[in-house]
Structures are given as C-alpha cells and as structure tokens.
Amino acid sequence: MPELPEVEALAVYLREHAQGRTVERVDIASLSALKTASPPWTELHGRTVGDARRHGKFLDLDCSGLHLIVHLARAGWLRWSEKLSAAPPKPGSGPLALRCHLGKPGQGPGFDLTEAGTKKGLAVWIVADPAEVEPIARLGPDALELGRDQLAEILAGQGGRLKRVLTEQGVIAGIGNAYSDEILHAAKLSPFATANKLDGDAIDRLHEALRATLTDAVERSVGQKAATLKSEKRSGLRVHARTGMPCPVCGDTVREVSYADKAFQYCATCQTGGKPLADRRMSRLLK
C-alpha cells in the first residue's frame, strides 16, 4: 500500500510534470472507483492543474479549484506517460480505473490510475473542497507534523496496541502497515505494546524513529520516477516483508504475525526481549 512517503513523492512528481498543463479529457474505466456523482468528471475538462498535495495517504490534484482526490488503497498506483492512447478505455475488470489526458489525446502526456488484483479499493472523488471527502475530514494530525509532546498526548488517550494506533488514520495520518513495522523496529518497541503505558523514554524513541524513518523515506522517494517508487520503498525496508531473513541490526530471524488478510514483521531480539509474539493464524493451524 502506498503510504505517506510514496504519496508525497507522487505529489511532488505531479507538481513537476503536471502543473500548468490543461486537463484535456478524463476517461473513467471503473465507475465503482468514482465515489462522487456531482460535479461530473467532465467538469475537469479544460481546467489547469495548479497544484498537487497530500492529505495523509490521499493524493490531491487541484485543477483550477476543482480537486481530483485519489486514495490508492492496497494495490493502486499512478502511472505517468508522456503519450497516452487516444482511444477511450473499455470499462471492465482490468487494472485501469481512470485515465487523465494532460495534452491532446494520443499526442500529449498524462497518467493512469491502476489497481492490481480482484479486490478493488482504489477510490476517486471530484470535489470543490478536500474537506468534503469524509475520510479526509476524519484524518488525525499528519505523522510528519507531530511534535514529541503531541505524540505523547495522543498515546495517552489510546489503550490499544501500539501497532494499531500508529496505523489508525483518524489518530495519526499517513502511516500504514509497512512503515509502522519500520518505525517500531527502529524504536525497539513491541507492536503489541499498549500505547498509553509507554514511559517517557519509549515515547522519545518512538518520536525519533517516526520522524527519522518517514523523513528518510520521503528523501529517498522524492525525485524518483513514479514507476520506480515501489522498488525504492522495498529497498529501504529493514523488517517489513522480510520474514525469515536476518535482522540487519542484530542478525536474529525476522518473524511474522499473520491475520486474515495481512501480516506484520518484527525482530524479537530488538523489540520484544527475545519473546516471539503470538501468531493467531498459526495457533489455529496447530490446534
């Protein structure tokens, strides 16, 4: 899933490549991805791209005051092209959800919004104000704007597991499964730690790790071509999606906790005092 660093990099990329261009045509290939009916997507035609920004994990393209808002979900992506096909895409079950021509169709540049797999979650809104998008209106403070004291105040009001708190967008915006694993590993904290029971030293480590991990990821991502951002993300991960591999800090084997449709990774030596965490899916299989 694209998280704060990748979405920030996409916003920067669009500012560099799309700003000042005219939206010549928008093609909708997946009506289920479009979450608003009014104004219609054709209202974007003829408007000039003025800015691109990020709200948590939402991408916002400002087209002369009308906003094209995108949430890429788990398997969505933005693919830039210097020349898009002029033929309108056929609606169907393929990966293409939306195509935006920023030049004469068939001659100019633009981008596709695509989503892999059969479970579709990519969402698009066309609104006059980003706050009209309910998930954006509910976002907590942006992860990169959190001070140490603000983080401590947030954690004090959260009695759940730290992993869940970090990824709850209404609490802290921008962090997902991958970077929460990386942050907790850098902070030497258990994913199952109770958020409101962290002491001052643990909060200091968590805030430092959060800032350093996300800032480093943004710096590595910004300037990359949109097509290479996914591989850049993977190359910078130390524990996430590295189950069975050695921890780069201590050499212990990276372990995994699995749920119905996702998993997270951690190092027992670095984060849990050497104690493996309970894996509910494995526990059920062993019964």
Side-chain angles (χ1 to χ4, degrees):
M1 174 187 288
E3 300 178 34
L4 184 157
E6 294 77 48
V7 179
E8 181 67 26
L10 287 173
V12 172
Y13 189 89
L14 288 174
R15 286 199 295 272
E16 294 174 348
H17 292 78
Q19 198 168 46
R21 295 184 182 273
T22 299
V23 179
E24 296 290 346
R25 195 178 82 201
V26 174
D27 298 324
I28 302 295
S30 173
L31 283 173
S32 64
L34 186 61
K35 305 305 180 185
T36 50
S38 180
W41 72 83
T42 53
E43 282 293 311
L44 292 166
H45 297 172
R47 293 176 179 263
T48 301
V49 177
D51 196 10
R53 62 178 74 97
R54 176 185 61 80
H55 310 281
K57 294 188 285 185
F58 292 80
L59 186 63
D60 175 4
L61 196 64
D62 185 345
C63 304
S64 300
L66 195 60
H67 297 259
L68 176 65
I69 307 286
V70 180
H71 189 277
L72 293 167
R74 294 186 66 177
W77 199 242
L78 183 148
R79 302 181 185 278
W80 178 269
S81 176
E82 291 300 325
K83 185 178 179 181
L84 290 170
S85 172
K90 294 180 179 179
S93 59
L96 183 62
L98 178 147
R99 174 167 290 162
C100 181
H101 297 269
L102 297 174
K104 188 174 181 180
Q107 299 180 23
F111 61 84
D112 287 342
L113 296 177
T114 63
E115 185 172 23
T118 57
K119 188 175 181 180
K120 303 299 184 182
L122 185 147
V124 175
W125 296 261
I126 299 170
V127 293
D129 183 346
E132 295 176 41
V133 178
E134 186 178 354
I136 291 180
R138 296 199 310 262
L139 287 176
D142 192 81
L144 275 179
E145 297 175 2
L146 277 178
R148 189 271 182 199
D149 291 343
Q150 187 180 12
L151 176 62
E153 183 178 353
I154 289 171
L155 295 175
Q158 299 292 324
R161 288 175 172 175
L162 190 52
K163 167 78 176 181
R164 182 192 63 77
V165 171
L166 288 178
T167 57
E168 180 60 54
Q169 299 305 295
V171 178
I172 300 173
I175 304 172
N177 194 29
Y179 287 109
S180 60
D181 284 355
E182 298 299 300
I183 290 166
L184 290 169
H185 179 257
K188 299 185 182 299
L189 291 170
S190 169
F192 284 178
T194 303
N196 63 8
K197 292 184 178 180
L198 296 185
D199 61 22
D201 178 65
I203 294 173
D204 288 341
R205 298 200 314 272
L206 180 61
H207 182 255
E208 182 179 351
L210 187 153
R211 294 284 303 177
T213 300
L214 295 179
T215 299
D216 177 68
V218 169
E219 289 175 351
R220 286 188 292 103
S221 299
V222 170
Q224 296 283 328
K225 293 181 179 180
T228 63
L229 278 172
K230 288 185 179 180
S231 59
E232 178 60 35
K233 177 180 180 177
R234 287 192 293 269
S235 70
L237 299 176
R238 301 195 300 176
V239 291
H240 183 76
R242 289 174 58 87
T243 304
M245 301 179 71
C247 168
V249 174
C250 71
D252 191 8
T253 300
V254 173
R255 300 172 186 267
E256 176 176 295
V257 172
S258 302
Y259 293 91
D261 60 348
K262 61 182 178 180
F264 69 79
Q265 289 76 39
Y266 69 101
C267 170
T269 296
C270 291
Q271 297 175 252
T272 63
K275 181 180 179 181
L277 298 176
D279 186 335
R280 294 179 180 177
R281 185 158 65 182
M282 286 302 298
S283 297
R284 288 197 298 269
L285 290 174
L286 293 172
K287 284 183 178 180

